[in-house]
Structure formats: structure tokens, C-alpha cells
Amino acid sequence: GKALVARRIPYSVVCARSHEPTAQVKVRTGGAMKAGQASVLHLALTDRAGKPLSDADLLRSHSERVHVLLCDADGRDFQHVAAAPGNEPGTYAASFTPQQEGDYHLWVHVVPASTALPEFLPARLEGSGQDGGEDSGGAEEAQLFATGE
């Protein structure tokens, strides 16, 4: 048969991992979430230094710059929504209708232009409407989703 030829595989963002996320997110809702009623998620995206991340700082991924993945605590309700830019730099809003009562875990998917690497920023929404943020998912969870390990 033919001899194998060594080939160099080009760099791919699919294979690359960022050790620390370059983006941060804080999430709040307008109040308590109720099953079957639309809720608006207000996102504040910043870099590690606290500078707001606007559309110009993010690359499109699957036709959007900011995706929000939501899942209830039991894993019965999973939703994927896109977030639209708000009036202030670094602010985004998304609407979703929880199908279950209680807490939701969420991951904000962005691709910062500075690295061109996808990042999934974890947060948690409490069913009571308490605000969530980058630390609300726990440091270990944030590290898990930032590194993919």
C-alpha cells in the first residue's frame, strides 16, 4: 500500500482551550420567574478588567453574538435563546419562558474577538428572581466550563 504522509493540522478553535475566560457576565431578571410567563434576562458582559463588551468586541457564532443556554435544576426544561444588544455598551437582553418553577442554570456563549475562542460563562437564576452573576454558579463550575476539563 501507500506510505503514510505526515501532515500538519492547522490551528483550529475547535481544538484550542482558553485557560481562563476573558469575559464575565452578570445576569438579572425583572423579578420572580413563574412557569409559563415570559421573563426578561438582562445581561452585563465585561472583560476581566471590567470594560463593557459591545458587539464590536464579539464575533458572530451561529449567526448571533450572544447565546444563552438555560436549563432548570432537574434538566427537564432546556432552552436556547439569542440575546439582543441593549441601550448601554455591554448590555444585552433575552426573553425566555420558564416551563418549570424553581432555579435555572444558564451559560452565556460568546466568542470574544480578542481571542476568537468560544467561552461559556455560567450563572444561576433563582426562581425567586434573585440576581445571578459570574460567581453564582460557583468558582469550580466557572473553571469547569471555561476550560472544558
Side-chain angles (χ1 to χ4, degrees):
K2 288 186 169 182
L4 295 176
V5 177
R7 289 191 281 166
R8 182 172 182 217
I9 299 173
Y11 172 83
S12 168
V13 296
V14 173
C15 298
R17 296 271 191 253
S18 174
H19 293 288
E20 284 186 45
T22 61
Q24 299 176 351
V25 65
K26 290 193 178 184
V27 181
R28 64 180 177 82
T29 61
M33 298 184 307
K34 297 189 187 306
Q37 293 183 3
S39 292
V40 177
L41 304 174
H42 301 277
L43 311 174
L45 287 169
T46 62
D47 64 13
R48 280 185 267 178
K51 175 187 170 261
L53 293 175
S54 65
D55 269 5
D57 300 313
L58 302 171
L59 300 178
R60 284 188 187 277
S61 174
H62 304 287
S63 76
E64 300 292 340
R65 296 184 194 283
V66 180
H67 298 265
V68 183
L69 307 170
L70 301 114
C71 187
D72 72 330
D74 295 333
R76 290 181 288 168
D77 182 21
F78 175 82
Q79 297 185 41
H80 171 209
V81 297
N87 294 330
E88 300 294 322
T91 63
Y92 296 83
S95 177
F96 94 107
T97 302
Q99 300 303 308
Q100 307 292 331
E101 296 289 334
D103 299 349
Y104 273 74
H105 297 278
L106 67 88
W107 297 268
V108 177
H109 173 230
V110 295
V111 181
S114 61
T115 63
L117 296 174
E119 296 182 8
F120 290 85
L121 311 170
R124 191 183 65 167
L125 293 174
E126 294 189 10
S128 64
Q130 182 175 331
D131 295 345
E134 72 276 5
D135 293 330
S136 63
E140 291 177 11
E141 184 178 11
Q143 187 64 20
L144 171 70
F145 286 98
T147 63
E149 295 175 0

